[in-house]
Amino acid sequence: MSTSTRGGIVAAEWTKLSSVRSTWWTALAGLLVTAAGAGQLAIYAANANTNDDPADDRGIVTVGSVLIDSVEMTQYVVLALGLLAITSEFTSGTIRTTLQCTPSRGRVLLGKAVVAGAVTFALGLLLGGVGALVAWPVLGEWGSAPAAETIGDIAAVAVYLALVGVLALGLGAVLRSAVLTITVLLATLMIVPLSLQEPDIDVLTRIADVFPGVAGGHFMSGDAAPYPRLVGLLLLAGWAGAALLLGRVALRRRDA
């Protein structure tokens, strides 16, 4: 049956993503990692205020800040949904059937991006809520959870994870290997920026600031420096869009 219409493509991609066990196992793993990460970071924050060393006292911290810090670990679980949406089809050979049903490479990739982005956004909201519920009681008297700010932080986390998921999808379309894609993502999101920041040289730090993980961190935290949070969001969205564009070119130039 043809799935050439936009709605048909999105429905087909959702069916494929939701019908495999790895999707649900990944979501469960994300929940566990988020709960464990947020709880651990909340324990660290509370302990820093009650130990014998006043130098590391953090004072009152927001639940949202703990949640945002925990994303550094959680994101590598969630982005698996984005990359597996495309790399699993190359591995199994089902990409041929997909492209026979919908010959337009651009429509196929866009449909996958819509589904991957929507799923990772929804999962991000769930993970954000779970992380906040875990962190708040653990912080105790050292925690603050203003409703509007906490909801905003949860939404920011969900947007970040959705864009990172789309970035993973685009890179997966280019690289076609889950292992290679996760390696490149790890380097792009963490290893390269940290390596640039380590020497504490201003030019290298400015370069690190445009990488997607750093830009996303500034967006979620609402930093005013080195640029407003909107710029961080635009930089992250630019990386995701560029990855999709490269993925579309790769799909058009190479056989499935």
Side-chain angles (χ1 to χ4, degrees), residues 23-184:
T23 297
W24 304 106
W25 282 115
T26 300
L28 178 59
L31 285 170
L32 295 176
V33 171
T34 298
Q40 185 179 37
L41 291 172
I43 290 172
Y44 290 161
N47 287 346
N49 288 315
T50 56
N51 62 22
D52 295 330
D53 183 6
D56 63 359
D57 287 0
R58 294 183 58 184
I60 304 297
V61 299
T62 64
V63 168
S65 67
V66 173
L67 172 63
I68 289 169
D69 288 342
S70 72
V71 170
E72 187 171 345
M73 296 177 286
T74 306
Q75 64 180 337
Y76 295 106
V77 178
V78 176
L79 59 80
L81 289 175
L83 68 92
L84 289 175
I86 184 74
T87 58
S88 62
E89 289 207 56
F90 284 115
T91 301
S92 64
T94 55
I95 189 66
R96 298 185 184 90
T97 303
T98 296
L99 295 178
Q100 286 174 352
C101 293
T102 309
S104 172
R105 267 64 169 169
R107 286 191 176 188
V108 168
L109 196 58
L110 182 59
K112 289 182 179 295
V114 169
V115 172
V119 169
T120 49
F121 178 80
L123 180 58
L125 291 177
L126 176 61
L127 298 182
V130 168
L133 289 175
V134 171
W136 193 2
V138 175
L139 286 170
E141 62 180 310
W142 302 110
S144 171
E149 184 177 339
T150 303
I151 292 171
D153 289 336
I154 292 172
V157 166
V159 170
Y160 173 78
L161 291 176
L163 289 173
V164 169
V166 173
L167 171 63
L169 173 70
L171 289 177
V174 175
L175 301 173
R176 302 191 173 200
S177 163
V179 174
L180 185 55
T181 303
I182 196 68
T183 301
V184 172

Side-chain angles (χ1 to χ4, degrees), residues 2-21:
S2 173
T3 58
S4 58
T5 64
R6 290 184 178 88
I9 295 169
V10 170
E13 293 303 329
W14 163 245
T15 299
K16 284 187 283 187
L17 189 63
S18 62
S19 62
V20 294
R21 292 181 181 178

Side-chain angles (χ1 to χ4, degrees), residues 121 152 155-164 167 209-223 226-242:
F121 178 80
V157 166
V159 170
Y160 173 78
L161 291 176
L163 289 173
V164 169
L167 171 63
D209 285 335
V210 303
F211 273 72
V214 179
H218 289 312
F219 159 66
M220 288 187 290
S221 300
D223 295 338
Y227 42 65
R229 72 183 307 173
L230 178 59
V231 174
L233 174 61
L234 292 175
L235 283 170
L236 178 58
W239 277 87

